[in-house]
Amino acid sequence: MNKALKSHICILILFVSQLCIGQDTTKKITLRSYLQQIERSYSVKFAFADATIKDLSIKPAERPLELEELLQYLSLQTGLSFNKLDERFISIELEKDSSYSTATLQVLDEIFIENFLTEGISESFDGSYTFNPKSYGLIPGMIEPDLLQAVLALPGVQSADERVSNLNIRGGTNDENLILFEGIRMYQSGHFFGLISAFNPYLTEEVITRKNGTPSKYGEGVSGLLNIENSNKVPTRLSGGAGVNFLAADAFVNAPLSKKIALQFSARRSITDLLDTPTYEAYFQRIFEDSELNNTSREASIEFADETFFFNDFNAKLIYNINDNHKFRANFISIYNMLDYGERTTNEGLGSLENQSSLKQSSLAGSLEYEANWSNTFKSLLQLTVSSYELDAVSSNITDNQTLIQENKVLDLGLRIDNILQINSKWRSNFGYQLIEVGVNNLEDVSQPRFRSSITEVILTHSVYGDVRYESPNKATIINLGLRTNYMDKLETFLVEPRVNFSQEVLTNLRLEVQGEFKSQSLTQIIDLQQDFLGIEKRRWQLANGYNVPLVQSKQGGLGFSYSNRGWLAEVDAYWKKVEGISSRTQGFQNQFQFVEDIGSYSIAGVELLLNKQFRQFSTWFSYTFSENNYEFESIFDGVAFPNNLDITHNLNASFVYIGNNIKAGLGLNWNSGRPFTAVSSQQDIGNTTIEFDLPNNERLPEYLRVDVSANYSIEFSPSIKGELGLSLWNITDSENLVNRFYILDNENQIIEVNNTGLGFTPNFSFRVFF
């Protein structure tokens, strides 16, 4: 597709979105959107649980009303109770439902900014962000609500290599993030080697993301938290849907089996092993561009080569409301990725040689939960979890007659007892106990020269935690103080981790936020690079052992201000974070330190800026992050600080989104100042078989610039069946953005520069049906 045609498509999408401005606005709109309009017009704030207004629509009042009259109108139209807490804050609750407030102690009245950036994203008073796929607006470049891709829209979150599974939250590596699915820790989060999320979004109720000030109930994950939760309600009717895009087909069902029991089910399967699409070709080129699968120097000797790539995921949840005060839930999730590569090569004297290599990733996880509301002020949750992850790689090198087998297995067993006590209208406490046992096995088997190693390690962790939360009646002051203690038996280590989250309204519409936390984690990922599997990077989990793999610990503090008024939102956050106990093998060095084992730390300081303007049917935002991220290792570079591999100093995102009755369209721009890399030295020893490098990370890649467009069009086949068409154009200018650069030696010991580029122009199309 030439650039002129791509430009015409972009213009057409934006033109269609402009035409939709003239649509009839007297039709019903979502209650969420109408509340947002009222907040801007009357300078008030609504506080509610997402479940309270979910799926509700309303016809806007035909004439201007006083606030009291408008609240009465809303109550009559929705059957909800609108209660003024003071001149500014209004709570929304279900009428005559005393049990509901008990069941939502953790979420009720916490929303600070509704429709943060776009519909379906909100910001809470504690600085967390909630993404609700069911009320998803649009993020440019996305046609479906990818749960991890949406997180990249937040300030301070980026992916240095464009992989959504490699989220870098405030300069941290992806293994420093705690990803929970229904309270279960997940050790695999992506398909297609991380380019798309492994979590089907269409049964997901919310995804909560935290960058700092994490509640004490959450351990591990020294950089960030992503908590994915499906709905816990028994629906009144059967609902579901199915869809297909250029990568996969999926279906989901939410079925009430009785008034007390419901079953949720979703499944997705790739079509990449059945059909070549433009999206698949772009993704394949992105992942395998510098691997043996695309090594043109070997083509002359290859008689036959074939690759098969395949992925699927499956999720099921059983909800059983025993009665109003006792509930039971069971969850199950399966994630699978597979790559097979076969080739036949001609070798003089040996004739034809056949080879088969494979790489498989799989996750199986489940949980059992029992929730009891002992009274209107006290409830408990008992949860049992199991999470298993397995990586199996078989790589055969015909030329060297060598076969390498690598396995990485993780088994995580957990028990949690969580309690919530509403002391009074101002004070609330959350406290409990968590037991986690994690076992990790790493196997390496080399056929020539013969070598085999299998290491299994296990850590048992006991944790006791507690938080105390204070809220003033008008929410002008909110304080959350937490403390988590961890005892790790194998390491004989006892840790005390304080947490603080403070929010204060200093002026009308202006809030001060202070956050801080101490955190730790016992698992990290070793990064295996080009020499291991067909030239494809892969990662293996490992446990801390107290000597060459230490416990990772972090300290973080932050200070910020938020201003919100009449559709305007402005935020500034300054933060500092130090992470100690990192291993050089977890950082992905591709320079003179690639095979060096050392222990060190990194420190990052930064400022995040956000400006967001909400109009009636438009949303536009601009975010900018400035940060400085440096390593310090005990031996590497003589202990002198040098730039982190993820040190992207400047990062900017700007987006414009239109949401009408039937159409959504968006245009987004992403720019950053480029990752650091280590250049080769101008002085090379001709007789040496290794590369002489310059100072570590002393150079920068060229600036990164990407422009994305996407649009969705809704169709109503009948009152109960709806459809949706989606089109996305990723990198519409087809910019060649470098995301990594490193150097290797060829067979003649000549230095070769290898450049990894991001996705080029990548179209995607989807069609979905909902009932």
Side-chain angles (χ1 to χ4, degrees):
M1 184 180 292
N2 60 46
K3 292 186 177 180
L5 179 57
K6 287 181 281 187
S7 299
H8 293 158
I9 293 174
C10 175
I11 293 170
L12 176 62
I13 292 173
L14 295 178
F15 176 71
V16 171
S17 71
Q18 292 297 317
L19 289 178
C20 295
I21 299 175
Q23 295 183 58
D24 182 8
T25 59
T26 64
K27 296 180 179 179
K28 283 189 174 183
I29 63 175
T30 64
L31 178 58
R32 189 184 299 271
S33 297
Y34 193 37
L35 293 177
Q36 180 191 5
Q37 296 176 22
I38 296 171
E39 286 182 333
R40 292 195 295 265
S41 300
Y42 293 84
S43 297
V44 296
K45 285 292 179 184
F46 290 101
F48 52 85
D50 282 346
T52 305
I53 68 167
K54 184 173 69 70
D55 299 330
L56 290 181
S57 297
I58 190 172
K59 183 178 179 180
E62 296 180 356
R63 61 180 179 83
L65 299 174
E66 295 293 332
L67 180 59
E68 293 294 342
E69 294 178 307
L70 184 56
L71 295 181
Q72 292 178 14
Y73 174 80
L74 291 171
S75 182
L76 289 172
Q77 293 291 317
T78 64
L80 300 175
S81 176
F82 291 78
N83 305 311
K84 292 189 68 175
L85 302 177
D86 58 18
E87 292 302 314
R88 184 158 178 256
F89 286 91
I90 303 167
S91 70
I92 307 176
E93 300 178 20
L94 293 177
E95 290 276 14
K96 301 178 182 179
D97 192 346
S98 60
S99 64
Y100 186 79
S101 61
T102 302
T104 56
L105 287 173
Q106 291 176 288
V107 295
L108 187 60
D109 296 347
E110 288 189 353
I111 298 299
F112 171 47
I113 302 295
E114 190 65 43
N115 292 339
F116 178 85
L117 304 186
T118 187
E119 287 187 2
I121 303 179
S122 58
E123 183 180 7
S124 298
F125 284 105
D126 60 5
S128 65
Y129 303 90
T130 300
F131 174 52
N132 186 339
K134 295 180 181 179
S135 58
Y136 165 66
L138 189 77
I139 294 176
M142 295 172 55
I143 51 175
E144 295 179 313
D146 187 297
L147 301 185
L148 300 184
Q149 187 73 46
V151 177
L152 286 170
L154 302 177
V157 183
Q158 56 192 358
S159 175
D161 60 3
E162 287 191 349
R163 305 188 197 200
V164 297
S165 64
N166 291 351
L167 294 178
N168 310 126
I169 298 180
R170 289 185 170 175
T173 54
N174 69 292
D175 62 328
E176 293 176 1
N177 300 323
L178 175 63
I179 300 179
L180 298 176
F181 179 83
E182 295 283 5
I184 311 164
R185 182 169 186 182
M186 302 304 300
Y187 294 89
Q188 178 183 357
S189 58
H191 287 314
F192 221 126
F193 297 93
L195 288 179
I196 61 176
S197 165
F199 305 105
N200 192 310
Y202 291 102
L203 289 176
T204 301
E205 186 76 18
E206 60 183 20
V207 181
I208 299 176
T209 303
R210 297 178 184 271
K211 297 181 288 186
N212 195 359
T214 311
S216 64
K217 66 182 293 184
Y218 300 109
E220 297 285 327
V222 297
S223 280
L225 166 71
L226 281 80
N227 189 20
I228 303 168
E229 295 282 350
N230 286 356
S231 172
N232 285 321
K233 296 180 64 177
V234 176
T236 57
R237 64 177 183 87
L238 176 70
S239 64
V244 63
N245 58 37
F246 279 171
L247 290 175
D250 72 276
F252 71 96
V253 172
N254 191 1
L257 305 182
S258 71
K259 292 183 178 181
K260 295 184 176 182
I261 303 175
L263 178 64
Q264 300 173 0
F265 169 87
S266 70
R268 174 170 51 173
R269 186 197 190 279
S270 66
I271 61 173
T272 54
D273 57 329
L274 306 173
L275 180 68
D276 284 341
T277 65
T279 311
Y280 171 72
E281 291 175 359
Y283 277 33
F284 188 89
Q285 174 65 23
R286 165 67 184 90
I287 294 298
F288 303 114
E289 61 180 329
D290 297 307
S291 72
E292 293 183 24
L293 275 65
N294 271 352
N295 192 337
T296 56
S297 66
R298 302 171 62 246
E299 290 181 356
S301 62
I302 296 178
E303 296 179 351
F304 170 80
D306 180 54
E307 81 281 340
T308 300
F309 181 78
F310 170 81
F311 67 80
N312 64 41
D313 55 66
F314 170 85
N315 169 227
K317 181 172 184 175
L318 177 68
I319 302 170
Y320 175 31
N321 291 340
I322 304 170
N323 54 44
D324 290 342
N325 294 316
H326 298 273
K327 300 175 182 179
F328 172 80
R329 296 182 285 270
N331 296 281
F332 174 78
I333 185 172
S334 169
I335 303 171
Y336 182 75
N337 286 274
M338 182 272 291
L339 168 68
D340 278 339
Y341 177 71
E343 66 181 19
R344 185 168 62 246
T345 305
T346 301
N347 188 297
E348 292 185 8
L350 297 177
S352 294
L353 299 175
E354 293 188 358
N355 160 64
Q356 190 73 30
S357 298
S358 64
L359 179 62
K360 299 177 182 178
Q361 287 179 290
S362 61
S363 292
L364 292 173
S367 70
L368 298 175
E369 298 179 12
Y370 172 72
E371 182 180 301
N373 293 317
W374 305 112
S375 70
N376 289 335
T377 59
F378 182 60
K379 78 171 184 178
S380 299
L381 174 69
L382 172 65
Q383 183 183 56
L384 301 173
T385 63
V386 57
S387 182
S388 121
Y389 167 77
E390 187 168 344
L391 168 73
D392 294 299
V394 179
S395 178
S396 297
N397 187 318
I398 296 176
T399 306
D400 298 333
N401 191 27
Q402 182 188 76
T403 299
L404 170 65
I405 299 174
Q406 292 182 307
E407 294 181 359
N408 179 220
K409 298 180 180 180
V410 180
L411 181 61
D412 183 317
L413 303 175
L415 163 69
R416 180 191 294 276
I417 303 173
D418 193 55
N419 304 281
I420 299 176
L421 174 63
Q422 187 75 46
I423 302 170
N424 55 41
S425 61
K426 298 180 182 179
W427 293 90
R428 183 170 76 229
S429 176
N430 184 191
F431 57 93
Y433 167 77
Q434 186 176 19
L435 175 68
I436 303 175
E437 183 179 54
V438 181
V440 178
N441 173 260
N442 276 293
L443 168 71
E444 292 188 66
D445 192 320
V446 184
S447 63
Q448 185 68 32
R450 185 60 182 161
F451 172 80
R452 180 182 173 85
S453 171
S454 179
I455 300 174
T456 300
E457 295 178 310
V458 179
I459 287 182
L460 183 68
T461 303
H462 300 268
S463 300
V464 177
Y465 60 86
D467 288 278
V468 175
R469 180 184 178 89
Y470 169 80
E471 294 183 10
S472 62
N474 60 358
K475 295 190 181 297
T477 304
I478 300 177
I479 305 173
N480 196 95
L481 300 176
L483 188 69
R484 183 181 180 91
T485 60
N486 300 316
Y487 176 73
M488 303 176 186
D489 63 343
K490 181 180 178 180
L491 303 179
E492 297 183 348
T493 300
F494 181 78
L495 299 175
V496 178
E497 300 174 351
R499 317 279 175 88
V500 61
N501 204 314
F502 171 70
S503 178
Q504 176 66 50
E505 185 176 51
V506 292
L507 295 172
T508 302
N509 303 316
L510 178 67
R511 297 193 73 90
L512 164 70
E513 298 173 351
V514 178
Q515 297 176 330
E517 62 183 22
F518 283 45
K519 299 178 76 175
S520 63
Q521 67 179 69
S522 58
L523 283 103
T524 51
Q525 281 185 317
I526 300 172
I527 300 178
D528 296 325
L529 294 166
Q530 277 64 28
Q531 72 281 1
D532 286 318
F533 180 81
L534 301 174
I536 303 168
E537 174 194 314
K538 65 179 184 298
R539 300 163 184 257
R540 292 183 290 149
W541 289 97
Q542 64 175 6
L543 269 174
N545 56 26
Y547 48 100
N548 65 330
V549 183
L551 191 68
V552 181
Q553 299 183 67
S554 71
K555 304 174 184 176
Q556 183 177 188
L559 173 67
F561 289 91
S562 295
Y563 176 80
S564 176
N565 187 32
R566 297 185 179 276
W568 285 96
L569 171 65
E571 293 188 343
V572 56
D573 288 286
Y575 65 90
W576 173 86
K577 180 173 69 175
K578 185 176 181 65
V579 178
E580 301 178 295
I582 63 172
S583 168
S584 57
R585 293 196 64 192
T586 67
Q587 301 302 303
F589 286 116
Q590 293 174 282
N591 51 22
Q592 60 266 51
F593 308 137
Q594 179 169 340
F595 301 105
V596 176
E597 291 194 26
D598 197 10
I599 306 302
S601 65
Y602 72 84
S603 299
I604 180 170
V607 177
E608 301 165 359
L609 302 175
L610 172 71
L611 184 63
N612 179 208
K613 173 59 177 173
Q614 300 279 350
F615 302 92
R616 183 166 186 175
Q617 292 176 301
F618 296 90
S619 178
T620 181
W621 67 86
F622 169 90
S623 67
Y624 168 74
T625 301
F626 170 82
S627 63
E628 185 174 324
N629 192 352
N630 291 312
Y631 286 125
E632 283 189 31
F633 283 92
E634 296 176 0
S635 301
I636 288 178
F637 203 45
D638 297 323
V640 177
F642 63 96
N644 192 301
N645 294 335
L646 302 175
D647 178 37
I648 298 178
T649 308
H650 306 279
N651 188 77
L652 182 148
N653 177 284
S655 296
F656 175 85
V657 173
Y658 166 79
I659 299 178
N661 288 335
N662 297 316
I663 196 168
K664 305 172 186 177
L667 171 70
L669 178 146
N670 295 271
W671 173 89
N672 69 58
S673 55
R675 295 176 67 181
F677 72 95
T678 303
V680 297
S681 173
S682 58
Q683 303 295 324
Q684 297 290 324
D685 187 347
I686 301 177
N688 201 343
T689 58
T690 60
I691 300 174
E692 300 291 337
F693 286 95
D694 208 335
L695 299 178
N697 289 342
N698 63 324
E699 298 286 348
R700 294 272 172 177
L701 295 176
E703 296 178 355
Y704 177 103
L705 178 63
R706 192 187 80 239
V707 180
D708 306 320
V709 171
S710 58
N712 287 346
Y713 181 74
S714 299
I715 309 168
E716 186 170 321
F717 298 113
S718 73
S720 60
I721 301 178
K722 294 179 174 58
E724 185 176 80
L725 295 172
L727 173 66
S728 71
L729 303 176
W730 182 278
N731 193 2
I732 60 174
T733 60
D734 200 19
S735 300
E736 187 175 289
N737 291 311
L738 296 186
V739 296
N740 192 24
R741 174 178 289 169
F742 60 95
Y743 299 87
I744 59 174
L745 293 175
D746 63 12
N747 294 333
E748 298 179 355
N749 287 332
Q750 298 296 311
I751 297 176
I752 304 297
E753 181 181 274
V754 180
N755 290 310
N756 296 145
T757 58
L759 281 170
F761 173 72
T762 306
N764 199 357
F765 175 82
S766 70
F767 173 69
R768 303 201 62 82
V769 175
F770 302 93
F771 62 87

